[in-house]
Structures are given as structure tokens and as C-alpha cells.
Amino acid sequence: MPIESIAILVLAGFVGYTVISKVPNTLHTPLMSGTNAIHGIVLLGGLIVLGHGVDGVLNKILLVVAIAFGMINVVGGFLVTDRMLGMFKQRPGGQRSGGRGAGGREGGEQ
């Protein structure tokens, strides 16, 4: 069983790296938002497992540490996503906050 678990972990890491490395920059923010939502569900599962009780002090400590790191990931991801989406909000003058105007050129000239 431990050999199979390690093999699955290594293969999942390789597949994850391969898939993420091929994502274009324009899709990074939406992909990150979706991943944060999924990670929120994982956090909920961890809290449920902690609430039902687990055997052993080490298991409880590992579960609490995993929940803490997961929460840091979710909060940090949503902060970065909010900042990225803030780049596309309209300023009072009608220009986007990202610095690019119409046609993708700096300053909005066409």
C-alpha cells in the first residue's frame, strides 16, 4: 500500500506540473479562482474529519497543520485573484486600471 500511494503521489505531481505549465497566462486567474473554490471544499472535508475525531495525537496535529496551510492558500489565492481582477475595473476617467486602453496599446491610442 505505501508503494502504491507514493507512486500515485509522484504521478499526480508529474501530471499536475505538465498540465499547469501548458496553461496560457490569460487563463491563469480564472484557473486559480476555480482551484481556490475546490480547495475550499477540501478544507471543509478536513474540518468535518477533525470534528468526527481521529485517532492519535499525530494525526490530529497533521490535520490541523493541513487545514492551516490550506486556509493560507485559499485566502492568498483569493487576494491575488481580487487584485488581478481589479486591474480590469474602470477608473472614473473611463480608462481601465491595467494601463492599457483600446486596442491593447498603452495610453489608449489607436
Side-chain angles (χ1 to χ4, degrees):
M1 182 76 171
I3 299 283
E4 294 171 355
S5 297
I6 292 173
I8 290 172
L9 178 67
V10 169
L11 287 174
F14 177 72
V15 169
Y17 177 77
T18 304
V19 168
I20 294 300
S21 66
K22 297 189 185 312
V23 172
N25 291 336
T26 56
L27 293 179
H28 182 263
T29 301
L31 179 66
M32 194 161 103
S33 296
T35 304
N36 285 332
I38 292 170
H39 207 141
I41 295 169
V42 171
L43 283 174
L44 181 62
L47 290 172
I48 290 172
V49 168
L50 188 62
H52 283 317
V54 291
D55 296 331
V57 176
L58 181 63
N59 288 338
K60 289 181 182 180
I61 291 172
L62 288 175
L63 189 56
V64 169
V65 168
I67 290 171
F69 280 136
M71 186 56 76
I72 290 169
N73 183 32
V74 168
V75 171
F78 279 122
L79 288 174
V80 169
T81 301
D82 185 52
R83 184 173 177 188
M84 294 288 284
L85 292 175
M87 293 172 55
F88 297 102
K89 291 182 181 175
Q90 294 286 330
R91 288 186 179 173
Q95 190 179 21
R96 288 191 318 218
S97 301
R100 292 183 177 227
R105 294 185 183 102
E106 290 293 327
E109 296 89 24
Q110 291 185 356

